Amino acid sequence: MRTPIIAGNWKMHKTLPEAIEACRRLEEMVEDAKAEVVVCAPFTALSALKALGLNKIKLGAQNMHFAREGAFTGEVSPLMLRDVGMDYVIIGHSERREIFGETDEMVNSKTLAALDHGIDPIVCVGESLDQRKAGETEPLVKGQIQTAFDGIGAAEAVKVVVAYEPIWAIGTGETATAEQAQEVNAMIRATLAEIYDHETAEAIRIQYGGSVKPANITELMDKEDIDGALVGGASLKPEDFAAIVKY
Ligand code: PGA
């Protein structure tokens, strides 16, 4: 059985006092939730949030470099994230790919580096609206998965969380239907079964992300291959995020 995982991606939001307040309130509201709960906060808040000693909420970063250290001005390394006790790191979010030029190969390097440092990667994949309209969703997402998992053995692969996030559904209020999300998530699992085997593919958690809110989470989570959600906008308000966590 896969444990559902609901992760909040705060993106570039929240000052330190706001971050601390949000996590304290969230912790109270989700204490008894069955799903695993993750908050991916900005770098500047991570060590302070870790110091809160939260029980239920696990913490993650939103990006990292793949090198352990080096002359990479402005970057943060896997070693540094391990240092501040991160459980997770989001890799290859579509905003990183589109705005900051991250390639599938970089996503693969970062995924390998996270696993090497004992941090579980949440690897994002997904198509643009043009790509969907052109019927390219399946080959594109399949290719993203194949490259992301390149060189990762089955024992490590099961620690990876995949987030299917159609770009056209992110921050737009337009959610993929539960059927559309299920279709792609099932295809991702079939791809993982091709790369590894049935058992490994069944053990890997695959989230959906893109305008997830309290009103649509239940329908999404009812689907066989949707094991959780990566939540942007609706994760900023503890009440909304708690409602999603307790779908
Ligand atoms: P959204 O963002 O929930 O605001 O659509 C999701 C994401 O970017 O991970």
Side-chain angles (χ1 to χ4, degrees):
M1 263 311 273
R2 300 182 291 267
T3 306
I5 174 167
I6 311 282
N9 172 13
W10 283 357
K11 309 193 179 183
M12 201 169 71
H13 294 283
K14 295 198 190 292
T15 61
L16 194 49
E18 287 167 354
I20 291 171
E21 166 74 7
C23 274
R24 282 209 174 115
R25 284 178 46 212
L26 183 66
E27 173 91 347
E28 282 169 20
M29 290 185 276
V30 299
E31 240 167 14
D32 55 347
K34 289 192 194 76
E36 191 177 340
V37 186
V38 185
V39 168
C40 298
F43 289 131
T44 46
L46 296 179
S47 56
L49 294 179
K50 186 69 188 176
L52 294 177
L54 302 163
N55 282 316
K56 178 66 185 173
I57 302 174
K58 294 189 179 163
L59 295 169
Q62 301 169 14
N63 176 39
M64 62 169 210
H65 196 276
F66 46 80
R68 244 174 114 80
E69 59 180 9
F72 300 106
T73 302
E75 292 291 306
V76 168
S77 84
L79 187 64
M80 294 165 185
L81 292 184
R82 190 174 69 187
D83 224 17
V84 291
M86 287 306 101
D87 298 298
Y88 289 96
V89 59
I90 298 174
I91 302 287
H93 188 279
S94 60
E95 286 151 16
R96 300 290 324 165
R97 293 176 187 259
E98 286 198 316
I99 308 169
F100 301 99
E102 286 192 13
T103 62
D104 288 344
E105 287 69 28
M106 286 161 80
V107 169
N108 175 240
S109 301
K110 291 181 180 201
T111 304
L112 284 161
L115 290 167
D116 270 352
H117 289 81
I119 304 166
D120 294 347
I122 300 176
V123 175
C124 301
V125 296
E127 81 288 1
S128 67
L129 189 56
D130 284 348
Q131 290 163 331
R132 174 162 281 263
K133 282 183 178 158
E136 291 165 7
T137 303
E138 180 166 339
L140 180 102
V141 173
K142 194 171 176 156
Q144 288 175 328
I145 292 290
Q146 285 166 334
T147 308
F149 281 82
D150 191 28
I152 297 169
E156 292 288 286
V158 295
K159 298 176 190 165
V160 178
V161 176
V162 175
Y164 167 56
E165 298 206 306
I167 298 169
W168 47 272
I170 295 177
T172 57
E174 188 175 340
T175 331
T177 63
E179 287 70 30
Q180 285 172 320
Q182 162 60 25
E183 193 185 349
V184 178
N185 278 28
M187 186 275 292
I188 291 172
R189 201 175 307 285
T191 303
L192 292 167
E194 276 169 35
I195 302 173
Y196 301 101
D197 50 60
H198 178 75
E199 204 188 339
T200 306
E202 283 297 315
I204 297 176
R205 295 179 292 178
I206 309 173
Q207 299 174 312
Y208 165 77
S211 299
V212 173
K213 38 193 177 259
N216 58 25
I217 184 69
T218 311
E219 195 189 351
L220 289 161
M221 293 304 289
D222 273 347
K223 296 291 179 194
E224 193 182 332
D225 290 295
I226 301 180
D227 307 315
L230 184 55
V231 186
S235 73
L236 293 171
K237 274 200 197 149
E239 293 75 16
D240 288 351
F241 191 50
I244 292 171
V245 164
K246 302 207 247 179
Y247 60 91

